[in-house]
Amino acid sequence: MTPVPGRMTHDYDGDLVVFLIGMRINRWSRVSDWLPTLRAMPPMLRELAADPDSGMVGYRLFGLPRTPTVLQYWTSLDKLYDYASDPQAKHRPAWGEFNRRARTAGDAVGIWHETFEVARAETFYYAMPPTGLAAATGMMPVTKARARARDRMAS
């Protein structure tokens, strides 16, 4: 991606939920225990990205190889929970399958998630391609009125 010149910030107003979800491969030799967990996430991300009404506005994968983690941005907590509990979506069967495998996998693979409702967000990007929240929502120049982090946070 090409860097965007100048001082930029994200272009988003509204409710924002940050959701982190990841796994940790604890026993590399037990591929049959951790590989299904690793393979379950890409179809869910494709499903969410293909549905503009899902509430997920963007994501980023990092932490490879041992601790694959997905940072997701959502428009509401309700939409995140609705997706997680939807029996027609890819998450519910993947979660059920993980729980079945966990009974025999022991500690070969660990999983975790954290959810944050964000009241305000402050971002700054200089000579960066769209990254993080700006990649999920869009970028706009930092104006004189929002030149300082404190000013951007107050908006």
Side-chain angles (χ1 to χ4, degrees):
M1 278 197 251
T2 304
V4 175
R7 298 160 42 102
M8 305 295 284
T9 190
H10 70 277
D11 187 9
Y12 182 78
D13 282 322
D15 292 340
L16 180 64
V17 172
V18 175
F19 182 64
L20 290 158
I21 185 164
M23 62 177 273
R24 183 175 190 275
I25 300 168
N26 294 321
R27 306 220 185 273
W28 286 100
S29 62
R30 306 251 311 264
V31 176
S32 64
D33 289 327
W34 58 260
L35 188 59
T37 303
L38 181 67
R39 286 185 171 163
M41 185 55 73
M44 288 184 258
L45 293 171
R46 283 191 296 274
E47 178 178 60
L48 289 162
D51 179 7
D53 294 328
S54 71
M56 187 187 77
V57 294
Y59 69 91
R60 181 169 183 201
L61 175 65
F62 60 95
L64 296 170
R66 183 178 203 104
T67 57
T69 301
V70 182
L71 167 64
Q72 298 177 1
Y73 299 99
W74 288 76
T75 59
S76 79
L77 195 56
D78 286 339
K79 291 210 177 209
L80 171 62
Y81 289 160
D82 288 349
Y83 177 73
S85 62
D86 182 353
Q88 304 305 312
K90 296 194 181 302
H91 176 265
R92 284 299 284 160
W95 180 243
E97 183 58 31
F98 175 82
N99 284 330
R100 282 187 289 285
R101 279 193 318 277
R103 290 184 191 108
T104 59
D107 66 353
V109 60
I111 60 167
W112 63 277
H113 77 259
E114 299 174 354
T115 307
F116 305 93
E117 284 188 284
V118 180
R120 293 185 306 260
E122 185 278 323
T123 61
F124 179 81
Y125 313 93
Y126 179 80
M128 289 290 298
T131 301
L133 183 56
T137 64
M139 292 178 102
M140 65 181 191
V142 170
T143 62
K144 188 172 184 176
R146 297 178 74 197
R148 297 180 314 147
R150 185 179 310 265
D151 300 328
R152 289 188 301 279
M153 184 58 89
S155 298

